[in-house]
Amino acid sequence: MSTNPDRILRLKAVLDQTGLCRSTLYRKMANGTFPKNIRLSTRCVGWRASAIDDWLRNPMFIISPDKRICEPSQRSNLVSEIT
């Protein structure tokens, strides 16, 4: 077990960190160009801090759950795998 668990960031923190507006963030998620959120409760979602950090380092690529690097042409397949 890691001594430094992955933090969960709420929407405001993600928007502040990325500089995106809410509509752009959700549009990018729908297109598969931004990490998917995690449902925390009925009306609460968050994002893994490590996923946001990875996206900020290279927003052109997303790493799939099985650690494959997906190019833009492969993202639609990744989105369907995640959901």
Side-chain angles (χ1 to χ4, degrees):
M1 185 195 295
S2 174
T3 59
N4 188 11
D6 201 4
R7 294 184 56 215
I8 301 297
L9 302 175
R10 297 291 306 275
L11 179 61
K12 182 171 178 6
V14 173
L15 296 177
D16 290 343
Q17 197 170 2
T18 62
L20 298 174
C21 67
R22 181 188 309 246
S23 60
T24 300
L25 183 140
Y26 281 107
R27 185 173 53 248
K28 286 181 170 294
M29 278 179 39
N31 292 337
T33 59
F34 194 80
K36 288 287 187 182
N37 57 13
I38 300 166
R39 178 148 313 274
L40 303 174
S41 69
T42 307
R43 295 179 46 135
C44 180
V45 296
W47 287 259
R48 294 187 189 281
S50 62
I52 301 303
D53 291 341
D54 291 343
W55 184 85
L56 286 169
R57 277 193 290 279
N58 191 355
M60 293 298 293
F61 295 96
I62 292 181
I63 299 178
S64 67
D66 61 355
K67 303 298 183 195
R68 291 179 295 153
I69 296 178
C70 296
E71 296 184 23
S73 61
Q74 300 169 320
R75 289 185 182 147
S76 60
N77 296 338
L78 173 61
V79 172
S80 62
E81 289 175 16
I82 294 173
T83 57

